[in-house]
Amino acid sequence: MAWQKIMAEDSSYQTVIYNDKEHQPTLKQMQDFVGGYIQIIENEAGDQFVIDEEGRLKGKPINPDASEMWLGPDWSPDGHFHNLVGDVMVLQGEAKVD
């Protein structure tokens, strides 16, 4: 898999996963996708999550797909502060940025 896109049924958020160098996004592509200044956070597995650093302040909806990838299968929609919001780009393997 070079990339995969997951979108909410109501189109309120989307998650895109990249895992090869050929599809590694540029800074501008990351900013355009999340809709603002980016923040890159990493989970225990080493996956990088590109999020809008002000997404919560902007009132973006919880992204359950990305939150589960970030927090694991025990994530909860009630754990608002730890959940990821809005559009999220996930970089794995060779697609990760330095």
Side-chain angles (χ1 to χ4, degrees):
M1 171 187 77
W3 67 279
Q4 175 184 6
K5 183 175 183 178
I6 304 166
M7 184 175 283
E9 288 182 18
D10 64 0
S11 299
S12 60
Y13 69 84
Q14 58 185 336
T15 305
V16 175
I17 305 164
Y18 295 103
N19 68 2
D20 70 359
K21 194 75 167 173
E22 182 180 329
H23 292 93
Q24 185 181 56
T26 65
L27 173 61
K28 175 137 177 51
Q29 289 170 325
M30 289 187 274
Q31 290 172 329
D32 289 346
F33 182 78
V34 301
Y37 293 111
I38 66 165
Q39 180 178 3
I40 299 176
I41 55 177
E42 199 168 296
N43 68 3
E44 291 178 8
D47 298 331
Q48 295 176 331
F49 294 76
V50 182
I51 60 173
D52 180 349
E53 73 176 10
E54 296 180 331
R56 204 170 303 286
L57 294 172
K58 294 175 182 176
K60 292 186 176 184
I62 290 174
N63 181 327
D65 300 310
S67 294
E68 183 173 353
M69 292 177 69
W70 167 245
L71 297 169
D74 296 330
W75 83 279
S76 167
D78 297 328
H80 296 291
F81 184 72
H82 298 288
N83 289 324
L84 302 182
V85 299
D87 296 332
V88 177
M89 187 176 286
V90 183
L91 306 177
Q92 301 173 329
E94 294 179 1
K96 294 192 291 187
V97 296
D98 297 327

